Every structure is written in C-alpha cells, then in structure tokens.
Amino acid sequence: MALGKVEICGVNTSKLPLLKADEKEELFKQIEAGDMQARQKYIEGNLRLVLSVIKRFSSSNENVDDLFQIGCIGLIKAIDNFDCSLNVKFSTYAVPMIIGEVRRFLRDNGAIRVSRSLKDTAYKAIYARDELTRKNLKEPTIEEIAKEVGISKEDIVYAMDAIQNPMSLYEPIYTDGGDTLYVMDQISDKKNKEEKWVEHISLSDAMKKLNERESEIISLRFFEGKTQTEVAEKVGISQAQVSRLEKNALRTMRTYLTS
C-alpha cells in the first residue's frame, strides 16, 4: 500500500484544504439549511482526516485509492449524520465511522479479485444510493441510481454483484435454539427433481415409516424440489419446525434403509 504517493484518486493530497473551527461551524449551518455547495466544501475540507485514518491500515495489501474512496464514503456518512447540538468535535465523531467503513471493506473484500473499473462503478453506485436515500428519505431503485451516475442499470447490477462476498452453502441464516437453518436449506433441489433420483432407490417402504406430516414434507422437499420456506407456507408451520421434521424423517428413513 503506497501511502507515500501524492495523488490519490485524482486528488493532490499535498494541496488538500484545511478548515478552521469557525469555518466548519459556519459551513455546518449552511449544510443543515440544505446548501449542497457548503456540503461539498466541508467534504473537501476533511479529506485530510480520511488520509490520516487510512494510514492506520498501511500494513494492508489493498490499493490506497480503494481505501481512500471507502474512507470518503465513511466521511460522507459522518457528515450526513452528525449532530452539532451534541457538543462533540466532528473529528471525534467521524474517525470511528471512517475506520468502521474501511474495516468493513477489508473484511468483506474476499479472495475473488474485482477489476478496478468494476470497483469504481460500484463505489459510484454506493455513493449515489446514499445520496438519494438521504435526499428522498427512501431507498432508491436501480433505475434511479443508474440515472444519477449516468451508467446503465445492467452495469450497476453487475458491478454491485461483483463486490459482494461469496456465501457458503453452509452459512447459518436462522436458529431458534434448536436446529440451525443453512443457506442450502433454502435452495430448491432442481437437479434432483429433474433427474428424479428418488425413483432409483427403494423409498416407498421407508416412506411408510413416517407419519402423515413427515411424509408430506419429504414429498414436497425431495419429490417436488420445494425450499423449506415454501414447504412451511404450504403446510402451515414454521420453517424451523419443517427443518426439524425433515431431519427426523430422513433419520427414520436412513435407519430403515440401512437396517
């Protein structure tokens, strides 16, 4: 990570402006009144803060331009959420938010490497999304984000998807203190449904060992390829109950077939 470079993301860091305390106070009054130019000036006047924060991550192998952009997102979030009435210095409030944004990026930036152009598109989309959410007080659509940044919605979706961390099929998504539900439990078994693998093994006798509800759940899950969520809605019980009944039924069948 080359933190010694002068130009980062097209910004000459040697010429970054430095705001005085009274200037900051006056600019925030203008920002609260909806002055976007004052907001932009305040952002530029605090870029040195972002630069000082990302120096803490000098041991990281990440590109300094990427870290600077992520830090700027944290800075903007801090500006948009800062409350002057709390009698706290802006830097005291902003630094933890910038650090948190950078740490989140480092944590989520997995082994799959994404091209710089895709990252830039994703950063622009994230920034636009936050801006539109703040302005309109609601989550913008992909079409609105695309219009804001001047990039096609297909490219926005592709870029945002590219920076997402891949998830394991064994990632836990819910637990009620009993059996844990995993991502794989929410995926329809389309392959097995099409190949009808259950027709190739003797299950009819094993199915007779199940009670009516267990038999229905097994049929829906493995004969019709439905997810546990879909089964829960059809049967009228919770997803956690479906999971438990399914595991019990499979255990019963396995015991019968191997005995």
Side-chain angles (χ1 to χ4, degrees), residues 180-204:
T180 300
L181 299 181
Y182 299 93
V183 172
M184 65 181 299
D185 293 326
Q186 303 308 298
I187 301 174
S188 297
D189 194 354
K190 300 297 184 184
K191 181 175 183 291
N192 286 332
K193 177 185 175 183
E194 292 167 0
E195 294 177 358
K196 298 182 179 180
W197 63 272
V198 290
E199 293 181 1
H200 299 290
I201 58 177
S202 179
L203 292 176
S204 57

Side-chain angles (χ1 to χ4, degrees), residues 23-47:
E23 288 181 301
K24 290 181 179 180
E25 188 175 343
E26 181 58 33
L27 281 172
F28 240 109
K29 289 179 182 177
Q30 296 172 25
I31 291 171
E32 290 176 337
D35 190 330
M36 297 306 292
Q37 287 187 337
R39 181 172 178 272
Q40 184 60 36
K41 187 175 180 180
Y42 200 91
I43 290 171
E44 293 171 358
N46 282 279
L47 291 179

